[in-house]
Amino acid sequence: MRALVITLLMISHSSWAQEKLDTLLDGLHQDAHEGNFETYFERYTPDAVFLGTDKTERWSMEEFKTYAEPAFADGNGWTYEVVERNWEGDGQTRWFDEILFNEKLGHCRGTGVVQQIDGEWKIVHYALTMLVPNSIAAEVGAQTQEADKP
C-alpha cells in the first residue's frame, strides 16, 4: 500500500511539473504573439542564449532584446503555433523539443533547456530551426550555399 501511495505521489508531482513546464513555453509563445516584451523575456534567465534560424543569430538576452524590441513595439511580436512538444529529463533541469508552425516559415523546431531556479522554471537555452523536407533539402542547401557567398 505504501509503495502505491509513493507511486501515486510521484505521478502527481510529475504531472504537476509537466503542467508548469508546458505553461512556461505556452506562455512564451503567447507573449510573443501578443508582443508582451517584458513577460516574454522574464521567462528566460538573464544569461540565457537564443539561437535563431540564421547562422548569425546567436544572441545573449541583451542582444535578443535589441533584436526583438522593434517587432514587439507594435504589440505583435511573432506567432508560432505549437504542433507537438516532448520533454525529457528530471530534477531541476529539463530539455524539450517542439514542432511549431509559422505562417511565413512553415514548420519549425524549437529546442531548449529549462532550469528550476528558486522554485520557478526558466529558459536557459532556446534554439529555433526551420524544418526542411528531405525532398527539397538539396535545393535548399544549394540556395543556402549561394546566399553565404561573399
Side-chain angles (χ1 to χ4, degrees), residues 15-27:
S15 177
W16 174 82
Q18 181 71 40
E19 187 176 310
K20 292 285 187 185
L21 293 165
D22 284 334
T23 297
L24 172 68
L25 292 184
D26 290 342

Side-chain angles (χ1 to χ4, degrees), residues 55 130 132 136-149:
K55 71 178 183 179
M130 294 175 60
V132 178
I136 62 168
E139 179 183 333
V140 172
Q143 289 179 13
T144 301
Q145 290 178 43
E146 188 63 32
D148 284 345
K149 290 181 180 176

Side-chain angles (χ1 to χ4, degrees), residues 29 80-85 98-102 106-108:
H29 296 306
Y80 289 87
E81 297 174 32
V82 177
V83 176
E84 73 177 59
R85 181 180 295 139
E98 55 186 2
I99 295 178
L100 308 165
F101 182 79
N102 174 271
H107 285 98
C108 296

Side-chain angles (χ1 to χ4, degrees), residues 31-100:
D31 284 339
H33 173 72
E34 295 174 357
N36 298 326
F37 186 87
E38 295 299 324
T39 53
Y40 179 86
F41 283 99
E42 286 172 1
R43 297 177 186 280
Y44 293 92
T45 61
D47 61 346
V49 172
F50 185 95
L51 304 175
T53 57
D54 189 270
K55 71 178 183 179
T56 65
E57 296 174 342
R58 186 188 192 281
W59 293 313
S60 68
M61 279 301 99
E62 289 309 310
E63 292 166 330
F64 189 35
K65 285 178 182 179
T66 299
Y67 167 82
E69 195 166 24
F72 279 61
D74 66 0
N76 296 305
W78 44 77
T79 301
Y80 289 87
E81 297 174 32
V82 177
V83 176
E84 73 177 59
R85 181 180 295 139
N86 301 292
W87 286 99
E88 303 295 335
D90 56 19
Q92 307 298 308
T93 302
R94 310 280 174 96
W95 51 98
F96 64 90
D97 61 88
E98 55 186 2
I99 295 178
L100 308 165

